[in-house]
Amino acid sequence: MATNIQAAVQPSATRPRRGATAPQRVDFLSGNEAAAAAARDIGFHLMGYFPITPSTEVAENLAKMQANGDHEIVMVPGDGEHGAAGICYGAAIGGGRVLNATSSQGLLYALEQLPVQAGTRMPMVLNIATRAVSGPLDIRCDHSDVYFALNTGWIILLARDPQAVYDLNFAAVKIGEHADVRLPVLVAYDGFFTSHQKRRLECFDDAETVRREFLGKPDAPYTALDPRHPVTFGPYMNDPDLINNKQQLSLAMEAARQVIPQVLEELHALTGRLYPVMDAYRMDDADVAVVLLNSAAETAKEVADHLRDSGQKVGVLSPNVLRPFPAAAFRDALTSVRAVVIGDRADSYGADGGNLSLEVRAALQQDEHNRTLVLSRVYGLGGRDFDDTDAAQFFEQATQSAKSQQVAVPFAYHGTYAGDPDQKPPSGLPAIETAEVSRGMARVRENPDTGRLEVELEPLWATTTMPGRIAPGHGACPGCGVFPVLHQVYSVLEGDLVVLFQTGCAMVVTTGYPNTAHRITYIHNLFQNGAATLAGLVEMYHELLRRGELPDSPDITFMMVTGDGGMDIGIGPALGAAHRNHNMIILEYDNQGYMNTGAQLSYATPLGHRTSTSEVGRKRAGKVFHHKDTAQIFASCHLPYVFTASEGYPEDLMRKAAKAQWYAKHEGLVYGKVLSFCPLNWRTTDDAAQSVLQTAVDSCFFPVYEVEKGQTMISYDPDLLGRRRKVSDWLALMGKTKHLMSPDNAENLAAVEAEVDRRWRRLKAMHQHPEL
Amino acid sequence: MNRKTTLPDPSRFFEIRFESIGGLGAHAAGQILARTAVLHMNLNGAHFSSYGSEKKGSVVRSYIRLGGADKPIRTSAPIDSPDVVVVFHTALLEQPITLAGLKSGSTVICNAAAGELPEGLSRVPAGATIVRVDALKIAVEERSRPNAVLLGTLTAALPFLDADTVLTGLNEGFAHHNSEAVAANERAFARGGKEFEVVDHVGQGSEDLPIMRPQPVWGYQTAPIGGVLPLPGNTVWNDLTTSRTGWLPVFNTEECIHCGLCVLVCPDFCLVWSNEGAGTVPALECPDFSLTWSTEGPGEEAPSARLLGVDYRYCKGCLRCIETCPTEAMTREAETPGLADRLQVPLYPEITKRVGGTRGN
Ligand SMILES: Cc1ncc(C[n+]2csc(CCOP(=O)(O)OP(=O)(O)O)c2C)c(N)n1
Ligand code: SF4
Ligand code: SF4
Ligand code: SF4
Ligand SMILES: [Mg+2]
């Protein structure tokens, strides 16, 4: 099919505006802002989402607009991307327009839902700000995430710049909902390069008209919200039926091949901007070409211009559509090209080329006359820049091949570094000897009468010369509370310790490669699965000990460190570990939000608090549901020991940490939640920890207590000590909650106070009754 | 306000790089300038910032690329040979990458107090212009932020930028702030445009400064597989001095009772202790901690550990130690040049010797 291969000689910022029919205005937006602006203008019914860099800003921008009443999209913060994908799927079955945005691990965590949604033919739009997948964790751009979506049955549109992000979101809705298609659509743009770079672009002035005349009303053939027409969605379907269902899907993709150019042509008429299925830049008489996706292709165009000026016949091919794969367009465009470099920003390990490369090779193979020499290159992984010198090298390699009529290196990584044997990162500190950290800073004794543990602490100064298990030099914000929490806990834990940190601030700021602040063995796994990972390690440890296969039989304590957000997305595996009662500690530092990704709401964020996904504006004031009571969730797992503590009460926390170690060694899983100061996102001065933490406890927002062998004991009762404060005293101390002091938000404040008080009374009742 | 603007050389991009520390507002300022150029000056423009994990105190670079209205912007690459570099924090000048790619004919705007031009500027090519402004002082006086001052200076230093237009953009950028803040910004911007000084004969460089690209230490043939780091605690080589924003804690031995409370709250593990020289510690009197503190606390017992001072290589100046100290042993002081060096008590003396003033993050 040779349609739509047009020379898009016009650069993106000045795409032709031949007869645009819709009035537009100039704006200056990043890719993420463009996706949010498009969502506002499309007027989706619902967005289900979970924050992940670099796509988080889509939800953040929409939250800001929502707070000011600029759109009416229902925003549902998922408990993780899998949950968010489920929310979106459910909403799509309801027949309205649905949006999501994610990246990297988020897409992979949601991946299981993608074929479900395509196979049951529920359109929606998913924006991907592309990012490298773990591990090790890397937040920057490559295409390893979106390549995983190639086999899911979703249509994939590629947006090379913020303007394209805006425009293609409109196209995505219309394509996906087309009666012949009925498939979900993914719009992929480059993380950071496009998601975070602001460019000049044009938005519709009159979104209402575009909605009505271009998009029309969504018209789902089946919905779950029409009781007069009952439908079964998702039957149990084995052979011989499933293969037919899949052929239907395949036919829908084929239909999309026809529908996509039509929709893009309509969009062209509306906006004056053309997105051919294949963007063929200066390809008309090209001898050599490079094939690249998204922002890298734009860089290569710049270089192509220079080479053309010097008389070299070069061009750039970059599809705007990746699924359905434009094989015919590639074949046509490459017919008389002598050599082409195909650059993949992700590898299909062991396949001698990334997916794009393999698919273009397959496309060319269908043309028996094709003689194009193909060079496959993997470039730009993990955000490695691809600049004009890189593009120039690709052109040069293609030119050399064209000249020599052969391909010297069919497949290679581009832009890597072999290393210099004489160069090493700064050396580490010596390992901490067991004896150095076995100094009895806390002596734990079981009281035979009460059955409870009693702790005697050494004087504080005695701990000051213990070697720290975390070295200085980490990159946390000034005043960060996570490190006092860790220090207080570490200073009483005896002997050898192995820690697993879930994704979050503590992990990111301590392990920026090639440096690590951890002086003891440390593991990271993503925060949806840390507890399971540590449980596996704990069981391996015991089994190796039992078989006598562990040299010197070290006595190791295992602890997982997680943020409060990790106890949203990762609570499933954490509860699994709790119910299996492994010998380990789960330590949650609760800073009341997803701080690492820029302070989005977590379920631990209290009602009314301002976060970057629960903004305060003319129409809304902060988070709309109450804070999660994670300690009570774990208490109901009937664990040997559950506690809460505050960074502001070190001695209390240290006693509890010592008990935690004893229980983790002798009885099983311990869960502890520690309130941890975050000056950056609580919006306080860096040295406000003491007063803010103190008031959080004194106002009973954050009671410190323990549940030891099922019995609840409040460690510090502000009522008894005459120190009870009002919740508003606490909220008045933080910039993120200042708005709750205004009379406009009296209702919210009263609701928080009532909930805090109810939970406190309940806790006191448990404290008083051993059976509760 | 809209105004058609012509760049000095319309055939190429005019490129500006802000070198800063997270929290000083470089990202916002860059965004405001580029946005104003696009929406009010009839230019094409792009803006983005280097993005780490957005912690306060880490290095931030902000890039502004401007072109004529019809000149498409296709590259998304960082700016490596800028026409202007604005240095938000002088400590950044210790890193060569801050001025990398600077050429003769370009401009450096540096936030520094009068008479305190850092040595690092001598590398600037002789043919470049160096502009100094005390943005911090003006910002403090006007209750604004250094970024507003520096935008004012930048606008004054670049004849093609119209001050009223940039100011309009600045106000739009802060439209969600109260009128007091907007007025403060206006004053800061205006003073930035007046109270700067063009300093001659500081830049001695005979050549353009080379473009620098970060090169990894390990490569695929030398790095341990799987990203493993068998280098426990090697963040001690990092230098976090630039995280401080004007204040540091000063330790006074005489007042110290060596109780160890400050250690419990210092996020950066930069308090240096020794276990020689025992003294007597009076009972603690710190209401917020004594509440649940065990009666067997330090008491009259003789501690075998003593606080010696602060390693300012790691101290981020949060001042939590001061907030927590039950005595007057830690006090807050404004950080003047050289103060930290004079008070320095190194945790790892060998590191200070070997690395000196460079930083590793
Ligand atoms: C599957 C997946 N989704 C999202 C993210 C992005 N992410 C990384 S850390 C984080 C927030 C962590 O919050 P929390 O556990 O409270 O720790 P904090 O950042 O507050 O220290 C998020 C959303 C991710 N890494 N992986
Ligand atoms: S954002 Fe908050 S929790 Fe994260 S490093 Fe900064 S202060 Fe610590
Ligand atoms: S500086 Fe203050 S808090 Fe620290 S040990 Fe001395 S007296 Fe105690
Ligand atoms: S100012 Fe902060 S980082 Fe510096 S010593 Fe005090 S507590 Fe530690
Ligand atoms: Mg958190």
Side-chain angles (χ1 to χ4, degrees), chain A residues 180-201:
Chain A
D180 298 343
V181 179
R182 301 292 308 164
L183 286 173
V185 183
L186 208 148
V187 179
Y189 50 95
D190 283 353
F192 297 109
F193 299 120
T194 302
S195 69
H196 281 60
Q197 183 155 162
K198 289 194 191 241
R199 296 275 184 90
R200 183 179 67 186
L201 48 64

Side-chain angles (χ1 to χ4, degrees), chain A residues 461-702:
Chain A
W461 50 261
T463 64
T464 57
T465 52
M466 282 243 295
R469 291 182 178 94
I470 299 191
H474 62 73
C477 307
C480 176
V482 172
F483 292 88
V485 169
L486 290 170
H487 176 78
Q488 292 167 24
V489 171
Y490 280 176
S491 64
V492 290
L493 295 186
E494 289 275 298
D496 292 322
L497 181 66
V498 168
V499 289
L500 182 146
F501 281 36
Q502 297 209 106
T503 325
C505 278
M507 163 260 165
V508 163
V509 302
T510 52
T511 58
Y513 194 80
N515 291 82
T516 175
H518 300 279
R519 295 193 61 194
I520 56 175
T521 295
Y522 156 101
I523 302 153
H524 164 250
N525 197 2
L526 293 140
F527 62 161
Q528 59 273 33
N529 220 5
T533 311
L534 193 61
L537 181 63
V538 167
E539 294 315 312
M540 177 58 81
Y541 164 71
H542 288 296
E543 184 55 16
L544 290 177
L545 272 187
R546 195 185 66 80
R547 298 191 191 189
E549 290 172 6
L550 210 54
D552 303 331
S553 303
D555 181 8
I556 302 174
T557 301
F558 295 88
M559 180 163 79
M560 175 171 103
V561 175
T562 176
D564 48 305
M567 288 295 103
D568 288 343
I569 189 171
I571 199 160
L575 290 173
H579 286 118
R580 295 187 303 265
N581 202 28
H582 301 279
N583 291 93
M584 61 189 253
I585 303 168
I586 296 180
L587 184 77
E588 175 193 329
Y589 63 89
D590 178 2
N591 53 18
Q592 315 253 287
Y594 303 154
M595 299 322 187
N596 183 45
T597 36
Q600 297 80 26
L601 70 86
S602 80
Y603 290 4
T605 307
L607 180 93
H609 285 220
R610 178 203 287 269
T611 71
S612 55
T613 47
S614 61
E615 286 282 359
V616 178
R618 291 186 297 277
K619 282 278 155 61
R620 278 180 176 245
K623 192 182 168 220
V624 296
F625 56 98
H626 282 298
H627 54 291
K628 177 172 183 171
D629 198 345
T630 318
Q632 287 298 313
I633 296 174
F634 279 91
S636 58
C637 296
H638 305 284
L639 296 177
Y641 190 55
V642 170
F643 69 88
T644 67
S646 157
E647 183 214 327
Y649 279 121
E651 192 250 2
D652 176 62
L653 171 56
M654 285 153 80
R655 282 175 193 284
K656 287 170 176 169
K659 288 170 94 165
Q661 184 173 32
W662 193 95
Y663 279 116
K665 280 206 172 309
H666 296 94
E667 302 209 350
L669 195 133
V670 172
Y671 167 83
K673 181 187 188 74
V674 186
L675 187 62
S676 168
F677 181 56
C678 175
L680 182 67
N681 298 316
W682 293 3
R683 304 195 189 185
T684 69
T685 56
D686 296 342
D687 62 354
Q690 212 48 48
S691 53
V692 178
L693 295 168
Q694 181 74 42
T695 322
V697 174
D698 282 342
S699 65
C700 296
F701 161 71
F702 200 94

Side-chain angles (χ1 to χ4, degrees), chain A residues 20 27 69 84 136 139 152 159 302 333 351 439 455 460 473 481 515 535 561 629 691 706 717 720-721 731:
Chain A
D27 211 332
I139 61 171
T152 55
E302 206 74 49
R439 291 172 26 187
V455 183
L460 196 47
N515 291 82
V561 175
D629 198 345
S691 53
E706 47 191 355
D717 183 339
L720 282 183
L721 293 162
L731 299 175

